[in-house]
Amino acid sequence: MFKQVFQNISKYFVYFVGVVTLVATPISFAQNWPTKPIKLVIPFAAGGTTDILGRLLAQQLSKDLGQNVIVENKPGAGGNIAAEYVAQSPADGYTIMLASGSMLTVNPSLYKKLPVNYAKDFVYITNVASGPMLLSVSTKLPVKNLGEFIAYAKTKDLNFGSAGIGSQVHMAAENLTYSANIPATHVPYKGESAALNDLVAGQIDFMVGNLTAATGFAKAGQIKPLAVTSLKRSKQLPDVPTAAESGIPGFESTGWFGLIAPANTPKAITDKIYAATVKAVGSEAMRNSLDLNGLTAVVNTQKDFESQVKNESLVWEKVIKGRNISAQ
């Protein structure tokens, strides 16, 4: 009998130890995180605004987290290729993504079939930055301002480039052409930099690209900047008027970028990422870099981030249906 009692006690003790281990291991893991390099996935090609911002952020996060943050570009399908890759990665905090706002608010309404569920397959951590867009035209176009561009576009079959179907660059151009009541044909690329290169070469007529990526080309005289899409002029291009003041009253279109991770990533880890991001964008070095690139630091809580995505998704859903925009 004593032997049976001892065996039962031993069995329950082993069970108890197992349960404690299962509970304690994730807690210990989160407390020690990070113990190895972190991968920051960029869903677009190198050279675009998401890539530029991602590399700035990775450099600062590496200092704050004490581990290398390695940028990995996975362009294609409006960010969906990268999204699928991240969604299928282990939920351990070592694979995160800097997503464009369009991926989270536009793609769900634009694509009939998606490899991910943006609302369920990810945890939203925080916004990082936002910035205005820039309407630029090829130097071959005989226009000098927004008014001339609108008049010219109504008589010609113009085309515009973007970072891909559904990208912020695409939707900003759709928004502008709709507001100006001008026709135009969309030419999607796998990244913003590729589209800008073709704009410089005169292979496409215009773009409404992120200010960060387009400013250098504009200052070099390789493209003609006609208007910024913020309500105030940009410090980077102070002589370029806003679209609102030069032909489309009240027009505004800004792009933003936020950090997300695979669903079920422990909150203790996402909290660490959030805290490190707040510290990173609050640093003087990061703020100076953002300002130089025409971006503004933006951080918010997970709850506010989710609300932002939900509200903007409703807006873009109406635009996509109203303009009959399709990814097919």
Side-chain angles (χ1 to χ4, degrees):
M1 182 176 178
F2 177 79
K3 182 178 179 181
Q4 182 65 39
V5 171
F6 179 79
Q7 287 177 339
N8 289 337
I9 293 175
S10 299
K11 180 176 67 175
Y12 287 117
F13 178 75
V14 170
Y15 173 78
F16 174 76
V17 171
V19 170
V20 171
T21 301
L22 286 173
V23 173
T25 298
I27 296 174
S28 176
F29 172 77
Q31 289 176 339
N32 294 329
W33 186 92
T35 59
K36 63 181 182 179
I38 301 159
K39 187 183 299 180
L40 176 60
V41 177
I42 304 298
F44 302 102
T49 300
T50 317
D51 179 69
I52 293 171
L53 174 60
R55 292 179 188 279
L56 290 173
L57 180 64
Q59 185 177 20
Q60 197 63 43
L61 286 179
S62 295
K63 298 177 182 179
D64 296 335
L65 292 173
Q67 289 287 343
N68 287 333
V69 178
I70 303 168
V71 170
E72 182 173 331
N73 297 84
K74 286 189 173 296
N80 293 328
I81 291 176
E84 182 178 20
Y85 172 78
V86 173
Q88 294 177 351
S89 297
D92 56 9
Y94 290 106
T95 302
I96 58 178
M97 178 165 64
L98 182 64
S100 68
S102 61
M103 291 174 59
L104 309 180
T105 63
V106 173
N107 286 5
S109 295
L110 184 65
Y111 289 85
K112 293 180 179 179
K113 292 184 179 180
L114 284 171
V116 297
N117 184 320
Y118 281 98
K120 297 181 179 180
D121 292 343
F122 302 98
V123 56
Y124 296 170
I125 301 174
T126 183
N127 276 162
V128 176
S130 66
M133 317 293 273
L134 178 70
L135 166 63
S136 303
V137 301
S138 164
T139 55
K140 296 180 180 180
L141 261 63
V143 299
K144 296 180 181 178
N145 54 55
L146 180 58
E148 291 183 3
F149 169 74
I150 293 174
Y152 184 76
K154 289 181 178 180
T155 65
K156 302 290 183 179
D157 184 18
L158 300 184
N159 57 38
F160 67 91
S162 80
I165 297 174
S167 65
Q168 293 182 146
V169 178
H170 174 206
M171 300 309 293
E174 292 281 4
N175 194 4
L176 185 138
T177 55
Y178 175 77
S179 299
N181 192 28
I182 57 177
T185 301
H186 177 219
V187 181
Y189 290 79
K190 287 188 176 181
E192 187 176 10
S193 59
L196 278 167
N197 287 333
D198 267 9
L199 181 63
V200 170
Q203 298 300 312
I204 54 176
D205 298 312
F206 71 97
M207 273 186 68
V208 184
N210 286 290
L211 184 74
T212 305
T215 296
F217 294 102
K219 288 183 176 181
Q222 295 175 296
I223 57 177
K224 287 193 285 187
L226 300 186
V228 292
T229 63
S230 50
L231 294 178
K232 293 183 179 180
R233 294 195 181 195
S234 166
K235 291 188 293 183
Q236 284 67 34
L237 297 169
D239 295 331
V240 178
T242 67
E245 70 179 291
S246 57
I248 312 177
F251 185 84
E252 181 182 19
S253 183
T254 58
W256 56 266
F257 312 87
L259 284 176
I260 63 176
N264 299 317
T265 300
K267 188 176 184 301
I269 291 178
T270 59
D271 284 348
K272 284 188 176 183
I273 297 172
Y274 173 80
T277 303
V278 171
K279 183 178 179 181
V281 300
S283 67
E284 184 177 359
M286 185 75 173
R287 285 190 176 274
N288 288 340
S289 295
L290 291 175
D291 187 61
L292 184 65
N293 284 283
L295 294 168
T296 301
V298 181
V299 288
N300 53 9
T301 64
Q302 180 181 346
K303 183 178 179 180
D304 288 341
F305 191 3
E306 290 174 347
S307 295
Q308 177 187 3
V309 170
K310 182 179 180 179
N311 293 335
E312 288 192 20
S313 295
L314 295 174
V315 173
W316 284 120
E317 182 180 10
K318 293 179 181 179
V319 172
I320 290 167
K321 289 181 179 179
R323 297 298 309 279
N324 195 29
I325 303 171
S326 175
Q328 306 304 319

